[in-house]
Amino acid sequence: MSHKTPMTYKDAGVDIAAGNEFVNQIKPLVKQTSRPEVVADIGGFGGLFALNATKYQRPVLVAATDGVGTKLMLAFMMNQHETVGIDLVAMCVNDIIVQGAEPLFFLDYFATGKLTQAQAVEVIKGITEGCKQAGCALLGGETAEMPGMYKSGEYDLAGFAVGVVDQDQIIDGSTITSGDQIIGIASSGLHSNGYSLARKILLESLKLDLAATPAGLDRPLGEVLLTPTRIYVKSILSLLQNFQLKGIAHITGGGLLENIPRVLPQHCKAVLNANSWDKPAIFDLLRLGGNVPLEEMYRTFNYGIGMVLVVPQEQTDHILQRLSTLGETAWHIGHIADADTACVDIL
């Protein structure tokens, strides 16, 4: 039996005209991230990027993809959507820079049940800000409107980044030896990991109000939790011009205990001094509020360290000085020792 009234895609919940208008709204934002290698504006079937291969002897492309995880739930609860866009870029480009690669371009995927243009524009504003901080171009993306897939007002994000490095400049940790030193660069907070446990402790167990400022914090809890992930790209690119970075670990899911061994040779271990760096107050609130064992803190959260560098002993102080001039807070947090298997000891 046929319907008497003609039906359209818009009747099913997908507004193509609204999607086109959204693309027009974000074009000026995307242009702010452009690099000389970008060939065309967004809106084509694929983004075009002309790699300047003359800058490299043996260019190797490095790719990374990631999301923001359940941190998005905080954005929904607070109706604040710009910072998660920065998080999305950070999680990808920070993974690329640890291999010595310069991020070149970024693509995003935004999926929702019904497109709310104002909300989506806020997300893209954050993505463009993250791309500017990383020095990479927002080359394109996908906006998917899928009625029935998501609750009203909610969405999901995914990001994809590509960088480039000369093959003989790839940082893979293979030259790390006993006696090398470990530098930790401060995180801006939880970054984008551990939010399922954080929500369980803070909102379900302690029943804290996101608008309140618990003892020890200097801002409302919601603002602290939505602090965007720090992007370390430009600082590390600066270090690479003058110093030898033998290994770099982005401290994401798995914390210090799981991520540092990923860059260590099998015969080395990292020995960290737990008292050598400052832990933001939010971590004390989580540890004490949830009675979380220390090992779990080090495995679930970054615990105040967003990026770890393994460097030659004689360059340690100079690197710390450079990081300070670059606006980073960093500490000498440990050293490399001999071991049977790659691991982390925290003393």
Side-chain angles (χ1 to χ4, degrees), residues 89-295:
V89 177
M91 296 303 288
C92 295
V93 298
N94 283 345
D95 276 354
I96 284 176
I97 192 62
V98 300
Q99 295 174 88
E102 176 190 3
L104 297 175
F105 59 83
F106 185 84
L107 302 169
D108 71 275
Y109 174 78
F110 178 96
T112 188
K114 180 175 177 56
L115 182 65
T116 302
Q117 290 190 30
Q119 179 194 69
V121 168
E122 287 301 300
V123 174
I124 300 301
K125 282 182 180 178
I127 292 173
T128 57
E129 173 59 27
C131 286
K132 288 190 288 185
Q133 289 183 25
C136 66
L138 178 53
L139 199 59
E142 165 69 3
T143 303
E145 194 172 16
M146 299 182 287
M149 285 287 289
Y150 300 92
K151 294 179 181 178
S152 176
E154 296 188 359
Y155 53 84
D156 197 11
L157 292 175
F160 173 80
V162 171
V164 64
V165 61
D166 251 321
Q167 187 166 350
D168 62 356
Q169 299 298 315
I170 294 173
I171 299 172
D172 60 7
S174 60
T175 64
I176 294 174
T177 60
S178 179
D180 287 335
Q181 302 300 300
I182 302 173
I183 290 173
I185 310 178
S187 68
S188 54
L190 272 67
H191 284 183
S192 298
N193 297 100
Y195 276 81
S196 294
L197 178 57
R199 286 186 298 103
K200 186 173 184 64
I201 293 171
L202 301 174
L203 305 184
E204 296 180 22
S205 179
L206 299 180
K207 301 188 184 305
L208 297 178
D209 186 338
L210 290 172
T213 303
L217 301 187
D218 59 357
R219 292 175 293 154
L221 177 62
E223 290 184 24
V224 172
L225 292 175
L226 279 184
T227 300
T229 305
R230 189 161 182 83
I231 293 175
Y232 301 96
V233 170
K234 291 182 178 179
S235 293
I236 292 179
L237 287 175
S238 176
L239 292 179
L240 289 172
Q241 294 177 15
N242 305 103
F243 302 105
Q244 181 185 10
L245 306 183
K246 291 188 170 189
I248 311 175
H250 182 202
I251 309 305
T252 56
L256 292 160
L257 295 183
E258 300 290 340
N259 285 292
I260 296 178
R262 295 170 67 180
V263 302
L264 297 180
Q266 283 301 308
H267 62 276
C268 290
K269 69 176 178 180
V271 181
L272 305 184
N273 176 1
N275 297 318
S276 60
W277 74 90
D278 298 331
K279 285 81 172 173
I282 185 64
F283 293 109
D284 282 339
L285 184 60
L286 288 165
R287 181 174 62 85
L288 298 174
N291 193 28
V292 182
L294 269 177
E295 183 174 356

